[in-house]
Amino acid sequence: MDLIHIESVFRPADESALPSFTPGDTYVSGGTWLFSEAQPAARRLIDLSAIAWTPISTTPTEVVIAANCTYRQLEGFDWSGLPAGRIFPIAIRSLSSSFKTYGLATVGGNIGLAFAKGMMTPVFLTLDARYELVTPAADGAPANVRLVSAAAFQTGVRQTILGPGEYVRAIRVPRDAFSRRLVLRRAAHQASSHVTAMVIAAADPATGATTLTLSGALTYPVKITLSPAASVAEQVDAASAAHPVLVDSHGGGDYRRLLLRELATEALAALATPDHAA
Ligand SMILES: Cc1cc2nc3c(=O)[nH]c(=O)nc-3n(C[C@H](O)[C@H](O)[C@H](O)COP(=O)(O)OP(=O)(O)OC[C@H]3O[C@@H](n4cnc5c(N)ncnc54)[C@H](O)[C@@H]3O)c2cc1C
């Protein structure tokens, strides 16, 4: 789609050249969603895709994924030695638009969009990631940088805690989280449709804890740690009652709560088998 209100495009290769925010500024990464809809408020595009961040880097304690890492780069990374990374190709292939956006769409663009059907935030929530957020300052002053948990970032459909001019620079995942065993289960109207509900079950060998991340059916993803004191269905129901359930043409609240229960049961059964899919 032509964005007819755009007056200028700024595409730095160096993050330090990013301008301070003025009304009408809009960040763009892959542009796969931004150019799919009219953007009447946008006057200047600030393109983050050319910034020379390392797409994925590892340290002894963290795996750091740059916001402008594309789905293709995420899927193509060598995740051997970081077994939970096998979840990324599964999540990427679960996007309704996967084949169209694969080479261009970025992790940061997906997180910034904050769709209920978003695939990246549930995965990062499961892995206890933190997002590095940056607000450029005026007149060459140092940028403001803060770290927030994936759990705190998305607050609703297309709603996040990002302030004016703030962008996602990186996703920081504790390296230990990559030893978790994960199972993703999704429900959609068709194989190519976006998710109506999705659950990621995770078993942590270090703590013995089992968690469920519930998404797609809720307006933002929610993670619970299972307790032996109540049934899985009771715990999933309690979580979906405590958070806003999405109601749209893909399903009402009761249907989506039912899907969450069913997917949770399926995911946990798969997790209990020795040769489960990631
Ligand atoms: C038809 C269609 C169907 C889709 N279905 C799904 C689906 O089922 N599941 C799913 O998860 N996604 C879905 N998407 C979204 C798709 O994955 C995205 O287009 C993609 O995630 C956006 O990435 P991008 O890099 O192209 O972002 P852009 O299109 O460039 O930007 C998307 C939004 O994020 C903001 N943004 C970009 N980068 C950053 C950053 N670093 N920090 C903060 N904000 C930023 C932009 O200002 C914009 O608001 C769909 C998209 C389309 C067009």
Side-chain angles (χ1 to χ4, degrees):
M1 171 175 292
D2 292 333
L3 301 186
I4 58 174
H5 301 290
I6 299 300
E7 294 160 1
S8 61
V9 177
F10 192 65
R11 193 168 193 264
D14 186 338
E15 188 181 15
S16 64
L18 284 174
S20 57
F21 179 82
T22 55
D25 282 349
T26 301
Y27 291 117
V28 59
S29 288
T32 57
W33 175 83
L34 198 87
F35 291 107
S36 74
E37 290 195 5
Q39 307 290 342
R43 292 292 175 275
R44 176 170 67 165
L45 293 184
I46 301 176
D47 187 343
L48 303 174
S49 66
I51 295 178
W53 291 317
T54 303
I56 302 169
S57 52
T58 59
T59 74
T61 57
E62 277 188 326
V63 174
V64 183
I65 300 168
N68 63 1
C69 174
T70 63
Y71 296 164
R72 187 193 298 279
Q73 289 168 322
L74 191 63
E75 186 173 89
F77 188 73
D78 177 7
W79 292 106
S80 54
L82 297 165
R86 286 181 293 165
I87 194 87
F88 290 120
I90 295 168
I92 290 165
R93 300 291 164 172
S94 297
L95 293 163
S96 62
S97 57
S98 191
F99 72 100
K100 289 190 279 187
T101 60
Y102 180 69
L104 286 173
T106 66
V107 174
N110 192 268
I111 291 170
L113 264 181
F115 280 154
K117 64 183 177 181
M119 298 305 291
M120 290 299 148
T121 293
V123 172
F124 289 127
L125 177 58
T126 302
L127 296 174
D128 295 326
R130 293 179 303 163
Y131 299 160
E132 191 175 316
L133 309 183
V134 183
T135 309
D139 303 326
N144 184 50
V145 181
R146 61 177 175 148
L147 282 176
V148 301
S149 68
F153 180 79
Q154 187 172 339
T155 54
V157 179
R158 306 277 355 265
Q159 290 172 7
T160 70
I161 59 158
L162 285 174
E166 194 168 34
Y167 61 89
V168 183
R169 175 196 273 162
I171 297 89
R172 312 186 79 93
V173 187
R175 196 179 174 114
D176 289 351
F178 280 91
S179 64
R180 292 178 193 161
R181 295 189 303 113
L182 309 182
V183 171
L184 184 155
R185 289 291 181 268
R186 68 193 286 275
H189 284 192
Q190 298 174 320
S192 59
S193 302
H194 68 71
V195 294
T196 308
M198 188 173 102
V199 171
I200 304 174
D204 190 330
T207 63
T210 301
T211 62
L212 292 175
T213 303
L214 313 176
S215 69
L218 306 175
T219 61
Y220 50 87
V222 169
K223 184 166 98 168
I224 57 174
T225 301
L226 289 179
S227 152
S231 72
V232 171
E234 284 168 340
Q235 293 176 74
V236 171
D237 283 352
S240 59
H243 300 278
V245 175
L246 188 67
V247 175
D248 65 10
S249 60
H250 286 245
D254 289 346
Y255 175 59
R256 283 189 142 109
R257 284 187 205 96
L258 173 71
L259 287 178
L260 286 177
R261 281 199 298 273
E262 293 296 319
L263 293 172
T265 306
E266 266 186 40
L268 290 168
L271 198 62
T273 63
D275 194 23
H276 72 279

